[in-house]
Every structure is written in C-alpha cells, then in structure tokens.
Amino acid sequence: METIQLVIEFLGTFAFAISGIRWAASKDFDWFGGYVVGLATAIGGGTIRDVMLGVTPFWMTNSVYMICTAAALLTVIAFKKLIVKFTNTWFLFDTLGLALFTVAGLQKTLYEGFPFWVAIIMGCITGAAGGVIRDVLINEVPLIFRKEIYAIACIVGGLAYYVCHVLDANVEVTVIISFLVVVVVRLMAVKYHISLPHLHDEGMK
C-alpha cells in the first residue's frame, strides 16, 4: 500500500509540475517562476489534504518531490519546441496529475482511518487544489470554477474507488479503475463540451 502510494505521488508530482510549468511558460515566467508554479501545482493539494488530516505534509519528509519538480522543469526546457508544438500538452499532464493525485488522496485518507466520504472529499482536494493555486499564481480564474468538469471528475473517480472496495477488488485493480474513471470523465467532458450550468446574476449586468 505504501509503495503504491509513493509511486502514485511521484508520478502525480511530475505530471502536475509539467502542467504548472507549461502554464508559467505561456505567461513568460522565468525559470525560477516556472519552478515555483510547478511546485505549487504539484504539492498544493496534497499539502492542504495532509494539514486537514493532521499529518506532516508529504513533501516535508522526502526531498524527491522537489527534485521531481526540478526534473519536470528541465524536461520542459529541453523539449520546449516539442511541448509548444503539441498545444494540448498542458491539458494531458493536468488530467494525468488530477487522476493520480485523486487516487493518492483517497488512499492516504483511508490509510489514516477516515471514512469513505471523507476520503472522497480529500481525493477531490488533493487532485483539484493544486490547479487552483496554479491558476491564482498565473492570474487566471481557477479552472475548477469555470466551464470544464474538473472536481466532479475527482468525485466520480472516488465513487468508482468506493464501488471497487465494496466489491472487494484488490488494490491494484481499484487504483487503475479509479484512475481511468477520472481521466475518461474529464476527457469526455472536454471533447463533448459537457459542463455544469453557470450562475447568472441579472442584476449585476
């Protein structure tokens, strides 16, 4: 369980860090600014989760997450032209990071002995909060509050994890299914322009 958790958090860190650095590059941030945005994207959600669970934030006990973010920065610098060519790269890595960290949040919360409904909330926070911090740092309205299905994908993935648990599936299968559900829900929502209704205040127009 702990090994799977570490692998998921490492992969999620790399994916989210590339997402954040890619956005920072689009805003002409320097290398240090890109690293800060990438790191905040990668560790933001997990930090909030750990504080709420009453445990030491995961990145404070292992420097690999700092190193992983640096590797993501070097990857973006080294393959800048290739990454720019594929304009949807940030979306791909953001989706992968979202799914990986959702699963990581679910597992860690359950490992700490909290009930499933808390685990689903923590999975959502772990997956989505880093993106909120990223968007604030680059001066964008957070994606979670706009047109795309984002946090909802985390919740659906959490429910899939719960169903697998009820069916007594092994942890590897549960992780894979939950991960795929988050990815598929987000991809389908973007492809078919599925979104929640918007709030409108006619008196403010």
Side-chain angles (χ1 to χ4, degrees):
M1 182 71 167
E2 291 182 356
T3 301
I4 293 174
Q5 181 76 18
L6 287 173
V7 171
I8 290 172
E9 288 191 345
F10 182 82
L11 293 175
T13 298
F14 188 78
F16 255 172
I18 285 191
S19 166
I21 294 165
R22 175 70 182 88
W23 267 114
S26 72
K27 297 287 185 176
D28 293 324
F29 282 31
D30 62 19
W31 288 11
F32 179 74
Y35 180 83
V36 170
V37 173
L39 184 62
T41 307
I43 70 172
T47 300
I48 295 173
R49 173 203 66 209
D50 289 349
V51 169
M52 294 182 72
L53 294 179
V55 299
T56 302
F58 67 104
W59 58 270
M60 296 179 69
T61 60
N62 194 336
S63 62
V64 70
Y65 301 102
M66 302 290 186
I67 297 171
C68 184
T69 302
L73 176 64
L74 293 175
T75 299
V76 172
I77 293 171
F79 300 100
K80 178 175 63 177
K81 291 183 179 179
L82 185 62
I83 289 175
V84 169
K85 181 179 179 181
F86 296 101
T87 56
N88 288 327
T89 301
W90 73 266
F91 172 75
L92 171 63
F93 281 103
D94 187 60
T95 300
L96 294 176
L98 181 72
L100 288 165
F101 270 173
T102 297
V103 174
L106 284 161
Q107 288 193 300
K108 188 163 189 177
T109 306
L110 293 172
Y111 182 77
E112 292 295 328
F114 289 87
F116 247 105
W117 66 271
V118 176
I120 292 174
I121 293 173
M122 290 298 107
C124 184
I125 289 174
T126 308
V132 173
I133 296 171
R134 174 201 65 211
D135 292 344
V136 170
L137 289 175
I138 65 172
N139 198 30
E140 292 280 349
V141 177
L143 187 63
I144 191 176
F145 302 136
R146 290 188 280 138
K147 60 182 179 180
E148 292 182 12
I149 296 293
Y150 199 77
I152 298 298
C154 302
I155 295 172
V156 176
L159 293 173
Y161 194 105
Y162 175 71
V163 170
C164 290
H165 176 77
V166 170
L167 296 176
D168 202 27
N170 66 53
V171 66
E172 290 83 4
V173 172
T174 300
V175 164
I176 292 171
I177 290 176
S178 183
F179 169 83
L180 290 176
V181 167
V182 176
V183 171
V184 169
V185 168
R186 182 140 194 251
L187 290 179
M188 291 299 99
V190 171
K191 181 177 180 179
Y192 296 106
H193 306 290
I194 301 170
S195 63
L196 297 177
H198 289 194
L199 290 172
H200 296 289
D201 188 344
E202 299 298 332
M204 297 295 291
K205 297 182 178 180

